[in-house]
């Protein structure tokens, strides 16, 4: 099963995160299938590759809670057909 989750990068006390598609069994810094975005909580910046995210969501990937909040804020779920997947 594939999940969309955050992968920590950056230095101590200055964490930035990559949003990646990764196998569930992999660890947090494990090998990802594809990088699909970037999130900087300190500067509140987000960069998303929307076509890649939609591709993985259509194939059945499940976003984690934090990634789901980021995607909702960016209104990515509005681009999915309502009968394909149900996210709150």
């Amino acid at each position: 099963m594939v999940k969309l989750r955050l992968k920590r990068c950056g230095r101590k006390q200055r964490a930035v995160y990559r949003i990646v598609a990764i196998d569930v069994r992999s660890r947090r810094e494990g090998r990802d299938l594809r990088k699909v975005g970037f999130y900087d909580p300190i500067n509140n910046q987000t960069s998303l590759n929307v076509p890649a995210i939609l591709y993985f969501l259509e194939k059945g990937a499940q976003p984690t809670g934090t990634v789901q909040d980021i995607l909702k804020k960016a209104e990515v779920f509005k681009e999915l057909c309502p009968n394909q997947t149900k996210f709150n």
Side-chain angles (χ1 to χ4, degrees):
M1 181 178 180
V2 176
K3 280 207 172 220
L4 296 175
R5 66 183 186 200
L6 297 175
K7 185 175 184 180
R8 186 183 163 114
C9 301
R11 57 182 193 193
K12 285 193 283 186
Q13 305 296 318
R14 294 281 302 171
V16 293
Y17 298 92
R18 285 188 182 138
I19 301 171
V20 296
I22 194 167
D23 187 39
V24 172
R25 297 168 291 192
S26 296
R27 57 197 173 115
R28 185 183 69 187
E29 275 82 19
R31 185 170 179 190
D32 50 58
L33 300 173
R34 185 162 180 195
K35 296 174 184 75
V36 295
F38 171 83
Y39 173 60
D40 184 358
I42 296 169
N43 298 326
N44 201 17
Q45 294 177 340
T46 305
S47 172
L48 300 172
N49 183 353
V50 177
I53 291 170
L54 292 175
Y55 170 79
F56 281 108
L57 289 175
E58 288 170 357
K59 295 293 181 182
Q62 295 293 316
T64 60
T66 306
V67 173
Q68 187 171 351
D69 292 341
I70 292 169
L71 297 179
K72 276 185 190 175
K73 194 173 184 181
E75 299 180 350
V76 172
F77 293 125
K78 289 185 179 179
E79 297 181 25
L80 281 175
C81 294
N83 59 356
Q84 285 181 341
T85 36
K86 292 186 177 182
F87 295 105
N88 294 332

